[in-house]
């Protein structure tokens, strides 16, 4: 078949036909919105490198979560900024830690909102590393014990799903076992299975106050040039009992999302991270890009690559545009 019989433009001539033949769709049910909770009352502090996103105290967080839910967004992922930090991240696994108390409030006050908690120690350690540091080394197994303990404390407080983001080896099975032992066999684990050591996390570290005081995260997060290694991480996490696998960041790693989607029969999530958001917002503020159109284009690209679920700071804007 060739021209003039074949004219692909026939199916692009108007919005109705374009709508009919659209291969990939983006809908609000696929989005999760990140929220940051901090101590205090009445706090709503804008994060300067992530305009439109804030640190909330529990009371204002509940209001924000209600607004998020009313836009049709099904869930949030919660990050905590604790009152105190120490070498062993004690505030990460306290019964009344910031995340635990926030989860209780959200589950009590906001009906049918899925509450996922990010499980990591970097926001809770005085040095900002994702684990226990001894002689300048981030210790894997000691960190995993604390990470599992943290996950359990979130679930006890009512978290619907836990999302370990630390990239220590063996954390998924440790979380699965501690949840089994304590009778929480139905809580899904959304594993940050493939998390790259990315420069795109910059703005988040301001938001979560979690920048490492020395060194970096390259001894545990993945090296950006590697793809085979992503498959190995995914395979391990599935074996260890993860239910949903995440690739992070999203935009620079669309090939990885596609590989995971094609090879494993599990839901795939992608995290469009703080720097991906900040770059578009900054360009739009300079008048260089149309924010609404570029934001939706990045999200549809992530869907086309194969992501079932997208965690994005654009969730609220996208929900409004899609409705
Ligand atoms: C915690 C964590 C990070 C992000 C999610 N969980 C930061 C990091 O690994 O340094 C990044 C999210 C974003 O940039 O939006 N380990």
């Amino acid at each position: 078949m060739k021209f003039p019989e074949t004219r692909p433009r026939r199916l692009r001539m108007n919005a109705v036909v374009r709508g009919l033949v659209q291969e990939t769709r983006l809908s609000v049910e696929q989005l999760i919105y990140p929220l940051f909770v901090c101590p205090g009352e009445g706090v709503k502090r804008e994060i300067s490198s992530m305009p439109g996103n804030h640190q909330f105290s529990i009371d204002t967080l509940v209001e924000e979560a209600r607004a998020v839910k009313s836009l049709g967004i099904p869930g949030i992922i919660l990050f905590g900024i604790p009152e105190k930090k120490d070498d062993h991240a004690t505030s990460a696994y306290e019964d009344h830690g910031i995340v635990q108390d926030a989860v209780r409030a959200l589950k009590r006050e906001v009906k049918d909102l899925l509450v996922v908690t990010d499980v990591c120690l970097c926001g809770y350690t005085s040095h900002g590393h994702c684990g226990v540091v001894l002689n300048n080394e981030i210790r894997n197994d000691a960190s995993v014990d604390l990470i599992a303990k943290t996950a359990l404390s979130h679930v006890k407080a009512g978290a619907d799903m836990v999302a370990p983001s630390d990239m220590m080896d063996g954390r998924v099975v440790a979380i699965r076992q501690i949840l089994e032992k304590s009778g929480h066999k139905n809580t899904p684990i959304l594993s940050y299975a493939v998390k790259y050591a990315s420069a795109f996390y910059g703005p988040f570290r301001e938001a979560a106050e979690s920048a490492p005081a020395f060194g970096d995260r390259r001894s545990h997060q993945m090296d950006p040039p590697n793809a085979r290694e992503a498959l190995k991480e995914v395979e391990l996490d599935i074996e260890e009992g993860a239910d949903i696998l995440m690739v992070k960041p999203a935009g620079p790693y669309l090939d990885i999302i596609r590989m995971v989607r094609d090879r494993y029969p599990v839901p795939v999530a992608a995290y469009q991270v703080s720097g991906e958001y900040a770059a578009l917002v900054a360009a739009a503020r300079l008048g260089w890009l149309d924010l609404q159109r570029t934001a939706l284009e990045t999200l549809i690209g992530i869907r086309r690559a194969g992501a079932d679920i997208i965690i994005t700071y654009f969730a609220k804007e996208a929900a409004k545009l899609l409705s």
Side-chain angles (χ1 to χ4, degrees), residues 34 36 50 77 79 118-123 128-130 163-167 192 195-205 207-208 210-212 217 220-221 246 248-249 271-277 311 313:
F36 299 91
M50 299 170 69
I77 181 163
F79 297 91
D118 181 273
V119 177
C120 194
L121 304 180
C122 59
H129 282 295
C130 308
S165 69
D166 51 281
M167 288 298 279
Y192 288 69
K195 178 173 177 182
Y196 286 93
S198 171
F200 283 95
Y201 305 150
F204 172 94
R205 293 182 187 166
S210 65
R217 308 219 199 286
H220 49 291
Q221 298 180 351
M246 180 144 75
K248 174 187 174 190
Y271 198 142
Q272 181 180 51
V273 301
S274 57
E276 298 178 76
Y277 172 84
I311 302 181
Y313 301 97

Side-chain angles (χ1 to χ4, degrees), residues 38-43 57-59 83 98:
C38 66
E41 223 178 289
V43 182
S57 50
I58 292 177
D59 54 334
E83 193 99 55
I98 184 73

Side-chain angles (χ1 to χ4, degrees), residues 98-320:
I98 184 73
V99 166
Q100 293 80 353
D101 282 347
V103 167
R104 278 185 209 100
L106 289 170
K107 293 315 298 178
R108 192 175 58 234
E109 306 284 340
V110 192
K111 215 170 153 292
D112 294 332
L113 178 74
L114 183 85
V115 176
V116 184
T117 56
D118 181 273
V119 177
C120 194
L121 304 180
C122 59
Y124 303 83
T125 50
S126 37
H127 42 64
H129 282 295
C130 308
V132 179
V133 175
L134 267 178
N135 302 328
N136 276 326
E137 191 196 323
I138 304 165
R139 296 298 168 106
N140 192 86
D141 301 8
S143 305
V144 166
D145 291 344
L146 300 183
I147 286 159
K149 222 165 129 172
T150 302
L152 176 61
S153 73
H154 291 178
V155 174
K156 277 186 173 162
D160 297 302
M161 203 182 279
V162 286
S165 69
D166 51 281
M167 288 298 279
M168 296 296 133
D169 295 328
R171 78 274 169 71
V172 172
V173 67
I175 293 172
R176 183 49 75 211
Q177 282 171 353
I178 205 170
L179 293 181
E180 284 289 322
K181 254 189 267 156
S182 45
H184 299 285
K185 61 178 190 298
N186 290 325
T187 306
I189 299 175
L190 191 177
S191 168
Y192 288 69
V194 184
K195 178 173 177 182
Y196 286 93
S198 171
F200 283 95
Y201 305 150
F204 172 94
R205 293 182 187 166
E206 179 199 336
E209 302 177 12
S210 65
F214 58 89
D216 55 37
R217 308 219 199 286
R218 287 182 232 213
S219 78
H220 49 291
Q221 298 180 351
M222 284 182 47
D223 202 12
N226 294 355
R228 287 193 300 265
E229 195 184 353
L231 298 179
K232 181 169 166 183
E233 287 285 0
V234 166
E235 215 155 286
L236 284 168
D237 282 10
I238 294 174
E239 273 170 22
E240 291 182 25
D243 301 277
I244 303 177
L245 282 294
M246 180 144 75
V247 175
K248 174 187 174 190
Y253 300 94
L254 297 176
D255 57 326
I256 308 295
I257 295 172
R258 171 50 57 195
M259 278 171 49
V260 176
R261 169 67 293 138
D262 285 346
R263 292 182 204 212
Y264 298 98
V266 291
V268 177
Y271 198 142
Q272 181 180 51
V273 301
S274 57
E276 298 178 76
Y277 172 84
L280 288 191
V281 173
R285 288 198 165 187
L286 289 166
W288 293 350
L289 285 178
D290 175 327
L291 188 59
Q292 297 187 343
R293 292 190 56 206
T294 51
L296 285 182
E297 194 174 328
T298 58
L299 295 174
I300 204 77
I302 295 164
R303 288 272 303 130
R304 202 183 54 251
D308 303 292
I309 301 163
I310 307 176
I311 302 181
T312 175
Y313 301 97
F314 286 123
K316 290 199 294 176
E317 285 76 10
K320 289 174 200 154

Side-chain angles (χ1 to χ4, degrees), residues 8-22:
R9 288 188 59 196
R10 285 183 200 126
L11 298 183
R12 296 179 203 140
M13 284 299 163
N14 65 56
V16 176
V17 177
R18 285 196 296 273
L20 275 179
V21 300
Q22 213 171 76

